[in-house]
Amino acid sequence: MADLAREIKTVGVVGAGTMGRGIARVAAEAGFQVLLVDVTQELVDRALQANDRELQRMVEKGKLSAEERAAVMARFKGTTDVAEMAACDFVIEAIFEDLAVKKDLFRRLDEICRPGVVLASNTSALSITEIAVATRRPQLVAGMHFFNPAPVMKLVEVVRGLTTADETVDLVRDMAARFGKEPVIVKESPGFVVNRILVPMMNEAIWLLQEGVASAEDIDKAMKLGANHPIGPLALADLVGLDVLLAVVETLHRELGEDKYRPAPLLRQMVRAGRLGRKSGAGFYQYA
């Protein structure tokens, strides 16, 4: 499979949001040609501009040369036409956490992409098996779950659905390694490993805030100093995105059927108010 990974030259990324643009940057920095697609040119342009700014900051800090930055940016191509994924050797989906929308996208990708091309999903918690059976190549569908921010975080969860072939798991693992990441192999289960543990902790912190047990600052301070966490659970929720967090909590609650996974009402209220965390400028904290 390592040989097959070396044959891959062009990586397609569907979704130019925070995770999609980060994954695209990881692939470009690893030397791949990258095709980034989203529904509007504005979203695509915004993602490419954000990557350019971040790479420029690396140049200013002496972590990257100007020539290297230019070479990475030259590997990107942005488009609004998902049909251009036909040119890709490996495709990663990174759209929002809606199972019906993901399944529809994978049906389209199955029709567009060449036979034998692996289709990977960056889903945080949804069923890889259900996504896979929307295609005629379920054995070639796997999870490839990056963490935010994708250029910084080293972990990738490689998720095996019920129909995923061993060879597909091996290829996705090898691609993660080529991206400079540390892969772990996970059998499909709601939330996989990290979010199965981490998301209930963030949700419980929101319950504590809602109940007035402590302030947001003190809840985060307690977990940083008492559990040696680098960031508090409420600040982490803001970083993840409260809409993403709510989607994962709802998936855990629905799939596992246990009250301990019930979303805190305050979390729903925050999402309804558009207070989604860092990406909206306000969540449990205010951001410039």
Side-chain angles (χ1 to χ4, degrees):
M1 280 296 119
D3 290 339
L4 289 178
R6 282 194 288 271
E7 293 173 4
I8 291 172
K9 306 299 182 186
T10 302
V11 173
V13 179
V14 185
T18 301
M19 290 305 300
R21 69 174 174 84
I23 294 167
R25 179 180 147 194
V26 166
E29 288 183 308
F32 294 93
Q33 297 297 313
V34 178
L35 181 61
L36 180 63
V37 63
D38 213 317
V39 293
T40 70
Q41 193 61 47
E42 179 186 3
L43 290 171
V44 173
D45 291 344
R46 191 184 304 165
L48 296 178
Q49 289 162 8
N51 279 343
D52 196 20
R53 287 195 303 271
E54 290 169 5
L55 291 169
Q56 179 57 38
R57 282 196 289 268
M58 292 179 67
V59 172
E60 292 166 0
K61 293 178 180 179
K63 296 180 179 179
L64 196 71
S65 71
E67 293 76 17
E68 288 169 330
R69 167 181 165 270
V72 171
M73 289 306 301
R75 296 186 191 112
F76 286 115
K77 178 184 177 183
T79 182
T80 59
D81 186 2
V82 72
E84 292 194 40
M85 288 287 148
C88 295
D89 306 311
F90 185 84
V91 175
I92 304 169
E93 167 271 314
I95 65 173
F96 54 94
E97 290 289 272
D98 184 306
L99 184 59
V101 177
K102 286 184 188 287
K103 288 169 67 176
D104 183 62
L105 173 62
F106 271 75
R107 287 188 195 97
R108 294 179 66 194
L109 290 172
D110 184 45
E111 295 170 356
I112 291 165
C113 296
R114 301 189 311 275
V117 170
V118 166
L119 308 177
S121 175
N122 181 56
T123 179
S124 302
L126 296 175
S127 170
I128 296 300
T129 301
E130 189 164 354
I131 293 170
V133 297
T135 75
R136 295 164 298 179
R137 62 179 87 191
Q139 74 282 6
L140 296 177
V141 176
M144 191 176 193
H145 181 214
F146 292 77
F147 291 81
N148 188 28
V152 176
M153 300 295 282
K154 296 295 289 184
L155 180 66
V156 169
E157 289 178 320
V158 178
V159 186
R160 179 198 303 271
L162 186 65
T163 56
T164 308
D166 290 344
E167 293 80 7
T168 300
V169 172
D170 291 344
L171 177 62
V172 176
R173 179 200 61 208
D174 292 344
M175 286 296 291
R178 286 195 66 189
F179 288 164
K181 303 302 182 184
E182 293 287 344
V184 295
I185 310 299
V186 180
K187 184 173 71 173
E188 179 188 303
S189 178
F192 315 137
V193 171
V194 173
N195 281 334
R196 178 75 173 270
I197 297 168
L198 189 62
V199 164
M201 183 191 73
M202 288 187 280
N203 189 49
E204 193 64 29
I206 299 169
W207 276 105
L208 286 171
L209 181 64
Q210 177 179 312
E211 293 166 6
V213 173
S215 68
E217 291 80 4
D218 281 351
I219 290 169
D220 279 356
K221 182 179 180 180
M223 290 306 295
K224 286 192 291 183
L225 300 182
N228 201 30
H229 289 191
I231 185 174
L234 297 174
L236 180 59
D238 277 354
L239 178 62
V240 168
L242 301 190
D243 53 340
V244 175
L245 176 60
L246 177 59
V248 178
V249 177
E250 288 177 329
T251 297
L252 292 174
H253 191 219
R254 180 179 63 251
E255 294 288 330
L256 298 171
E258 298 184 43
D259 281 346
K260 67 180 180 179
Y261 299 114
R262 183 164 64 94
L266 177 58
L267 175 57
R268 292 192 189 279
Q269 290 173 343
M270 297 284 279
V271 172
R272 287 168 180 161
R275 294 173 61 95
L276 306 181
R278 286 181 178 270
K279 62 185 173 184
S280 70
F284 296 108
Y285 299 94
Q286 296 288 332
Y287 301 93

